[in-house]
């Protein structure tokens, strides 16, 4: 069903919850969430004060900015009202579905109130703290609460280059903007993951009817180095392309093989596009004839031969070998 067609209330709530689950799982798999205790500590805006020889020093220990920046990028759609995965949309959907379950309804109301206070505070006191600065050269005075500073970092420094946010936060510097953003991003992650786990529990209890695939499908890449078997074909520039993935290759397309001259895959800007290389992930299996021909008079194989075939040393039980 298209979004331009009539949608029932149940269908809308289902769409919101499905969108939230997928995005929340991506937040859950961020490296900052790997240590739950450390993530919760980041939400508390702790400041270490050191007094020494009559002087006071304030110390902040925060994660690398690049790490928090990537977490903010994953979290951002959950903060936006226009997105299906918006946190409040998920809570609204749960509130509707669980309206006849007093205990669940109470948890949802509390979660909604806490999210509003932490993510969109209405007063400086709710924001936690504010900073005042004065320019002694110009006499200009500026003050901004922690939420405004955090938003200046998120939308002025990170996911956008919002000129209004930049102007609002420029007087305080990048450090103060980042320092305010860390607990906001961390708490947004905590609130998101807690709501995700609540949805999981409701779904397991049968109160929700969400597809199990939502909780199992891949949402992040654990590795960026991988290999897979493939068939590759090539043709001169301008050759007719296949019309469908299942269509036979049109005339003029040739399969890539060991005999292919890879020097033809040259690009004026990208250089050599295809490279032949030995891979420890996947090796070409020898033919039965090659296996038999490499066997020693005693019926085994040398370490060098096994290595060429990608077989580790010592060989597995049942495969004779020698170390010459």
């Amino acid at each position: 069903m298209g979004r331009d067609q009539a949608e029932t209330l149940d269908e809308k709530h289902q769409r919101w919850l499905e969108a939230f689950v997928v995005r929340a799982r991506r937040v859950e798999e961020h490296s900052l969430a790997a240590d739950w205790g450390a993530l919760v500590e980041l939400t508390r805006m702790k400041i270490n004060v050191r007094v020494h020889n009559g002087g006071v020093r304030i110390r902040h220990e925060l994660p690398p900015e690049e790490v928090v920046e990537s977490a903010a990028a994953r979290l951002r759609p959950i903060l936006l009202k226009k997105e299906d995965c918006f946190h409040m949309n998920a809570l609204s959907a749960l509130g509707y579905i669980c309206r006849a379950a007093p205990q669940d309804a109470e948890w949802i109301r509390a979660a909604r109130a806490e999210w509003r206070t932490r993510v969109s505070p209405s007063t400086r006191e709710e924001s936690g703290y504010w900073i005042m600065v004065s320019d002694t050269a110009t006499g200009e005075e500026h003050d901004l609460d922690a939420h405004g500073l955090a938003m200046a970092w998120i939308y002025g420094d990170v996911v956008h280059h919002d000129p209004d946010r930049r102007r609002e936060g420029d007087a305080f510097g990048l450090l103060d903007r980042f320092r305010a953003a860390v607990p906001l991003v961390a708490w947004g992650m905590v609130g998101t993951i807690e709501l995700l786990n609540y949805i999981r529990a409701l779904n397991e209890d049968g109160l929700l009817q969400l597809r199990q695939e939502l909780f199992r499908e891949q949402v992040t890449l654990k590795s960026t180095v991988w290999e897979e078997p493939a068939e590759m074909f090539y043709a001169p520039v301008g050759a007719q392309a296949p019309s469908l993935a299942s269509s036979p290759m049109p005339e003029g397309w040739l399969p890539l093989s060991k005999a292919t001259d890879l020097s033809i895959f040259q690009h004026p800007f990208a250089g050599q596009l295809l490279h032949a290389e030995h891979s420890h992930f996947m090796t070409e299996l020898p033919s039965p004839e090659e296996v038999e021909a490499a066997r020693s008079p005693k019926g085994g194989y040398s370490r060098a031969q096994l290595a060429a075939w990608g077989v580790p040393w010592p060989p597995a039980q049942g495969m004779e070998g020698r170390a010459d």
Side-chain angles (χ1 to χ4, degrees):
M1 181 187 69
R3 292 285 293 276
D4 56 338
Q5 296 175 302
E7 184 179 39
T8 68
L9 196 57
D10 287 341
E11 289 169 338
K12 180 176 72 172
H13 289 151
Q14 187 85 357
R15 170 166 54 83
W16 284 352
L17 288 174
E18 289 184 354
F20 177 83
V21 166
V22 173
R23 172 55 65 160
R25 287 187 55 224
R26 188 166 173 82
V27 172
E28 180 184 45
E29 294 189 19
H30 191 273
S31 59
L32 272 182
D35 186 334
W36 183 255
L39 179 62
V40 171
E41 281 298 307
L42 289 177
T43 71
R44 293 174 177 157
M45 297 185 290
K46 287 187 176 181
I47 299 175
N48 297 318
V49 177
R50 179 180 300 172
V51 180
H52 182 67
N53 293 335
V56 176
R57 297 183 66 84
I58 297 175
R59 180 181 178 85
H60 297 262
E61 296 184 22
L62 302 172
E65 185 188 25
E66 188 176 20
V67 174
V68 181
E69 181 175 344
S70 67
R74 291 191 180 188
L75 183 66
R76 178 176 172 268
I78 289 177
L79 304 176
L80 296 179
K81 294 180 180 179
K82 66 179 182 179
E83 300 286 354
D84 283 350
C85 61
F86 178 45
H87 194 279
M88 285 297 191
N89 283 349
L91 286 173
S92 295
L94 289 185
Y96 174 80
I97 295 169
C98 300
R99 60 191 183 279
Q103 186 173 354
D104 292 323
E106 178 59 30
W107 187 92
I108 293 164
R109 280 194 295 271
R112 184 182 290 114
E114 188 174 18
W115 181 268
R116 184 198 62 77
T117 300
R118 293 298 298 262
V119 174
S120 185
S122 56
T123 66
R124 294 206 296 187
E125 289 72 20
E126 284 186 347
S127 182
Y129 69 89
W130 59 94
I131 295 179
M132 299 178 181
V133 296
S134 176
D135 188 328
T136 56
T138 64
E140 291 182 355
E141 302 278 349
H142 301 272
D143 71 279
L144 193 60
D145 61 36
H147 184 260
L149 288 165
M151 291 295 103
W153 182 80
I154 293 173
Y155 291 106
D157 295 301
V158 177
V159 298
H160 290 305
H161 196 83
D162 187 319
D164 293 331
R165 293 287 190 185
R166 289 301 303 266
R167 280 192 295 269
E168 185 179 40
D170 271 349
F172 304 89
L174 177 60
L175 176 58
D176 276 331
R177 296 196 296 271
F178 175 64
R179 188 162 51 193
V182 169
L184 174 61
V185 172
W187 195 90
M189 294 179 69
V190 167
T192 294
I193 296 168
E194 287 181 341
L195 179 54
L196 172 62
N197 286 331
Y198 200 82
I199 291 172
R200 281 190 176 112
L202 292 177
N203 204 57
E204 290 172 2
D205 289 343
L207 296 177
L208 301 178
Q209 303 298 320
L210 298 179
R211 295 176 290 111
Q212 286 301 315
E213 294 78 20
L214 295 172
F215 301 95
R216 294 195 297 259
E217 68 182 44
Q218 186 178 23
V219 294
T220 60
L221 291 174
K222 302 300 184 185
S223 172
T224 54
V225 178
W226 66 92
E227 288 193 18
E228 55 190 354
E231 288 185 293
M232 295 185 67
F233 295 83
Y234 64 98
V237 175
Q240 178 187 354
S243 56
L244 298 171
S246 58
S247 301
M249 300 304 295
E251 184 178 354
W253 288 80
L254 299 173
L256 189 71
S257 68
K258 289 193 298 184
T260 303
D261 179 6
L262 298 184
S263 67
I264 65 175
F265 298 101
Q266 285 277 348
H267 189 277
F269 302 112
Q272 184 67 38
L273 298 178
L274 293 183
H275 302 268
E277 60 181 26
H278 174 74
S279 169
H280 64 278
F281 290 106
M282 184 171 62
T283 57
E284 186 174 350
L285 296 177
S287 67
E289 292 77 15
E290 290 173 323
V291 171
E292 191 58 36
R295 189 186 299 273
S296 72
K298 294 183 179 180
Y301 304 92
S302 68
R303 175 182 287 190
Q305 181 61 72
L306 292 176
W309 289 339
V311 177
W313 184 270
Q317 185 175 7
M319 177 176 282
E320 298 292 337
R322 67 177 192 275
D324 54 335

